Amino acid sequence: MKKKDEEIAKPQTKMAKFKSFLNDQMKDQVAAILPKHMTPERLCKVLMVEASRSPALLECTLMSVAESMMLSAQLGLEPGATLGHIYFIPFNDRSSGTKTCTPIIGYKGYLELARRSGKVSRLDARVVYKGEPFSVTAGLHPNIEHTVRGDVDRSDDNVLAAYSVAVLHDGSSYFEVLWKSDIDRTRSRSKGGRRGPWVDDYARMARKTAIRALFNGGTVPMSFELANAIQMDGDNPHAPSAAPIDITPTEGFGHSPKGPQNGISELEDALA
């Protein structure tokens, strides 16, 4: 009997607490706003897998994880590296002495949102490497030409530029080019620039940055969902939510975006 009482009194592990938080407090919240192609059970299961891969997530404040989950649910983007739609990156917040989680939308996440919007008939983004023929013409007759070659060095250090191209339903087309210095400047101002996808998959993050720059240019129409994604992307140095705070990335991989999130106010008392 004594042994059984000791087992009952044994404190929960961090993973067990995290699982309880997802299933008991977050599942119903995200179920109310998830699109049809996602289920709350799937989202919670994916986050459990991500926490096992990146234990630093277990150290993040529950509110920052809740905010990231709600954004993921609102946008209908599954977190994690499997699909590459959106990443949850833990950071040390020196001002509060806690770890906070920030959502960083991936290259494929922006492609998915643009496809769903129905406002563009085609969207593409490419990385240009040194040694590949590449020319850009501006002015009255803008044009871009890029010949992809497989015999060049395709390492991150050999990236020359990244560009995105959008074709609208009326046949008009628009593009945006970012040179390596532009990409690295954005990366240096990103809270996730030294960890996560920027380190593991620089080329795709370069393509994602070019896509975001194209939509931010104002010439390509976007849905409210896509506009919200750009605004709340923790990797966007121009986002209104990206308040300057003293942070450093953890040894696993962010500060969560501020601003109201659907359902978050209902969780504040429970997670305080």
Side-chain angles (χ1 to χ4, degrees):
M1 184 68 178
K2 183 178 179 181
K3 185 177 180 181
K4 186 175 182 181
D5 291 340
E6 289 176 351
E7 290 178 352
I8 295 175
K10 188 177 180 179
Q12 279 188 308
T13 64
K14 292 179 180 179
M15 182 63 80
K17 289 181 179 179
F18 190 72
K19 182 178 181 180
S20 176
F21 161 68
L22 295 179
N23 291 325
D24 299 341
Q25 298 189 55
M26 289 306 301
K27 185 179 289 186
D28 291 341
Q29 292 290 328
V30 298
I33 59 175
L34 274 173
K36 292 181 179 179
H37 70 276
M38 293 177 68
T39 66
E41 292 78 15
R42 169 69 181 175
L43 182 58
C44 292
K45 183 178 180 179
V46 167
L47 280 177
M48 288 295 295
V49 172
E50 289 303 303
S52 66
R53 292 175 177 172
S54 176
L57 272 176
L58 302 175
E59 304 286 343
C60 291
T61 64
L62 295 183
M63 181 55 72
S64 67
V65 175
E67 290 175 347
S68 297
M69 285 187 68
M70 295 302 283
L71 179 64
S72 174
Q74 288 170 358
L75 298 177
L77 299 178
E78 181 175 300
T82 302
L83 294 182
H85 283 177
I86 187 170
Y87 304 86
F88 289 178
I89 312 297
F91 279 79
N92 290 322
D93 184 346
R94 292 179 181 174
S95 64
S96 64
T98 61
K99 285 186 176 69
T100 52
C101 176
T102 193
I104 293 182
I105 300 172
Y107 155 70
K108 291 183 178 180
Y110 277 114
L111 287 181
E112 174 67 14
L113 292 174
R115 180 189 64 79
R116 282 193 225 148
S117 73
K119 295 183 178 295
V120 295
S121 63
R122 177 173 173 264
L123 177 67
D124 193 16
R126 299 280 176 177
V127 171
V128 183
Y129 294 91
K130 295 174 184 177
E132 294 182 332
F134 181 64
S135 64
V136 181
T137 304
L140 293 176
H141 304 287
N143 191 37
I144 186 170
E145 293 185 1
H146 174 210
T147 301
V148 179
R149 291 180 52 180
D151 60 343
V152 301
D153 178 5
R154 306 184 78 79
S155 64
D156 294 344
D157 291 337
N158 208 42
V159 169
L160 177 67
Y163 65 91
S164 58
V165 178
V167 179
L168 306 187
H169 293 292
D170 62 3
S172 60
S173 60
Y174 302 90
F175 64 84
E176 185 73 34
V177 177
L178 296 180
W179 301 100
K180 181 73 159 52
S181 59
D182 301 319
I183 298 167
D184 288 343
R185 190 179 304 114
T186 298
R187 177 184 181 180
S188 69
R189 298 193 315 227
S190 166
K191 289 179 287 187
R194 290 180 289 166
R195 291 292 187 275
W198 269 115
V199 174
D200 300 333
D201 209 338
Y202 178 89
R204 285 187 176 178
M205 290 300 285
R207 294 161 81 179
K208 165 241 180 112
T209 305
I211 290 174
R212 190 172 60 202
L214 175 64
F215 282 105
N216 275 335
T219 55
V220 179
M222 55 181 168
S223 63
F224 174 80
E225 186 181 47
L226 185 53
N228 187 44
I230 291 174
Q231 181 185 33
M232 301 305 295
D233 188 353
D235 182 53
N236 184 3
H238 303 295
S241 58
I245 59 174
D246 185 13
I247 59 173
T248 53
T250 66
E251 290 298 328
F253 268 102
H255 188 78
S256 61
K258 296 181 179 179
Q261 298 280 326
N262 290 345
I264 290 297
S265 60
E266 300 173 14
L267 292 169
E268 288 178 345
D269 292 338
L271 300 182

